[in-house]
Amino acid sequence: MSTKTESRQGSSQASSSQTHNNYIGGQWVKARSGETFASNNPADQSDLIGLFALSSAADVKDAVDAAEKAYPAWRRTPAPFRAELLMKAARLLETRKEELAQIMVREMGKVIKEARGDVQEAIDMAYYMAGEGRRLMGATVPSELPNKFAMAVRAPIGVVGVITPWNFPVAIPSWKIFPALVAGNTVVFKPATDTPMCALMLVEVLIEAGFPPGVINFVTGGGGKVGMAIVEDPRVRAISITGSTSVGKQVAGRCGELMKRISCELGGKNAICVMEDADIDLAVDGALWGAFGTAGQRCTASSRIIVHKSRYKEFAEKLVARTKALKLGNGLDADIDVGPVANKSQLESVHNYVEIGKKEGAKLLCGGNILTDGDFSKGFFHEPTVFGDVKPSMRIAQEEIFGPVTVLISAEDFDDAIEIANGTDYGLSLAMYTNDVSRAFTAMQELEAGIVYINAPTIGAEIQLPFGGVKQTGNGHREAGIAGIDQFTEWKAIYVDYSGRLQKAQIDTHGDSPAVKE
Ligand code: NAD
C-alpha cells in the first residue's frame, strides 16, 4: 500500500498518529517522495501497525550526508563516553521491554515470550557493548628493534550501512548498531519493510539515550532502492547485512566491485543429529523448540533432524505427537505456541516447499496445510509440518524453507549422521544429541558450522560468543561477542621509534649490524 502525504519536515517522528518518518541528522523527516508504505499484523491483516516513509536514493543521500557530517566529532568522542550512552540505551530498553515486545508480536507474529527474548537480547548486547567502551582492546607487542614501541589500535571505519531482516527485528539491529556506535562509527540503518515499527522504537531509544544528531540515521523502504542506495554511496565505508543468501550475494558482489567492507549473515539449513545413545525425550523437546520456535523463521531453525535408524521410529512418533499438540494463533495470547508467518509471500513460499516435499516422495507425517478457518483467515498461518522418509538430496533437505516445516532423515550410524549434517551449502548451526563423550567431542570437531550445540537444539545463541556461519551462510565475519567489534573497526598499526636514529626493520636486526651497539 502506498499513500501520499504533504509537507516533508515533521517536528516528531509521527506526523499523524500512525504515520512515521525517517530520522535523519537529528530530525524526523518524511520521504522526499512523500510516499508511505503500510506495516500490518500478520496474525490479523486488518490491524494496521503504521505507515512508514517509502524512501528512495535521495533520502539515503540525506542520511549519508548527516552521518558523514557527524562522524569526525563522534570518532573523537572518547569511547567510554560513547559507551555511557549505550548503557543509558540498555536501561531505556529495559523500561520499554514489554511495549516493544507487544509491538513485535503485532508486527511480525512471534509469540510474546519469544518477543520478550528478542528485546532482552538487545538489552544484553547494549550492556555488553557498553563494556567494550572501556576495552576496545588493541595489542602491544615487542619491537625487533631497540628503543622502539609497537602497538595496534582499533580505529572506527566511518559511515556504516546496517541492513536487517524482519525475523529478529530488535535483536539483529542491536548486534550491528551497538558495536558500530561504541567503536566510533556513524550509522545509516535500513530495517526490513515488514518490521519498521520495531526498528523505529529502537531508534527512539537511542535518541532518548542522547546519541548526537547524525550519529544514528534511520531510513525505511525497500531493499532494491534504499538498501542498494546505501551500498552504492561511496561515503558508506562498510555494510553489515543480515538476510537471505541470494540478497547477500548480490550485495556482497557489488561491495566487492566497490572495494567496500561487507559482512553478511545469511541463510541456514541447520540440523539436529540424534544418536542411538541419546536421551530421546530431551531430543524431542529440543527438536520441537528448534523447528517451530518463531514459526521456524530463524536462520538457526532446526529444519533437518537426522536420527539413528534404531531410534528413528520412536523419535518420529514422539515428535509428531508433540507437533500435533502445538497451539497456533495470535502470539499475544500467552497460551499460543506458534504464531503466523511474517507475510503472504512467506506463507506461499513455505507452502510451496510442502508441495515440493510431497512431489519428491517424502512422507507427510503431520501438518502440511495453510489454515483458513475462522480467525486464521485474517492472517498467515501454516500448520507445523513434519516430513518423514526424507533423503538428504531432496530439495526440502537442502534448501532453506524458513517456516514451520522440518524433515526427518534416518542415519546408518554416527559417521553417516555427521556426513548428512555437513552435506548442504550452508553452515550456520548444527547440533548433536549423544551421551557418549567421545562422540560429543568428535562432533564438535567434525561438524562444519559456525555454531555447534551438544544436547541442545540449533537455536539459543548467547550474545557473548561469536555468531555466524561458514560456507554460504556468510563471508567469514561474526557478530556478537568480542568478534562483533571486528566488523566495525579497522586495525591501525603504530610504531614509535625513540632511538633518535634511523633503524631499519628486518635489516638492522638480521643484516650485518648487531641489533644493539654498545
Ligand atoms: P531478505 O534477504 O529478503 O532481506 C534482508 C534485508 O535486505 C532487508 O532489509 C531487505 O530490504 C534488504 N534487501 C533486499 N534486497 C536488497 C538489495 N538488493 N540491496 C540491499 N538490501 C536489500 O531477508 P528477510 O526475508 O528479511 O530475512 C530472512 C533471511 O534472513 C533468511 O534467509 C534467514 O536465514 C536470514 N537470516 C540470517 C541470519 C544470520 O545471522 N545468519 C539471521 C536472521 C535471518
Side-chain angles (χ1 to χ4, degrees), residues 163-167 172 175 190-192 222-224 227-228 241-244 247 250-251 265-268 299 400 402 428 467 473:
I163 302 174
T164 56
W166 45 262
N167 65 335
I172 291 179
W175 296 356
K190 188 211 92 68
M228 252 322 169
I241 182 168
T242 296
S244 56
V247 165
Q250 201 182 331
V251 170
E265 299 296 338
L266 309 173
C299 50
E400 184 180 50
F402 219 58
L428 184 53
F467 183 97
T473 291

Side-chain angles (χ1 to χ4, degrees), residues 74 79 82-83 86 122 124-130 132-133 136 154-158 160 162 171-187 206 211 240 463 478-489:
W74 184 242
R82 298 194 296 248
L86 209 47
D124 296 344
M125 188 60 88
Y127 280 123
Y128 184 88
M129 286 300 166
E132 279 308 298
L136 284 176
R154 289 176 184 274
I157 300 174
V160 304
V162 165
I172 291 179
S174 82
W175 296 356
K176 300 177 187 296
I177 294 171
F178 295 173
L181 292 178
V182 84
N185 304 284
T186 55
V187 172
L206 295 175
F211 285 90
S240 178
I463 63 99
R478 292 291 183 272
E479 306 206 297
I482 299 290
I485 290 285
D486 291 340
Q487 254 190 59
F488 299 105
T489 51

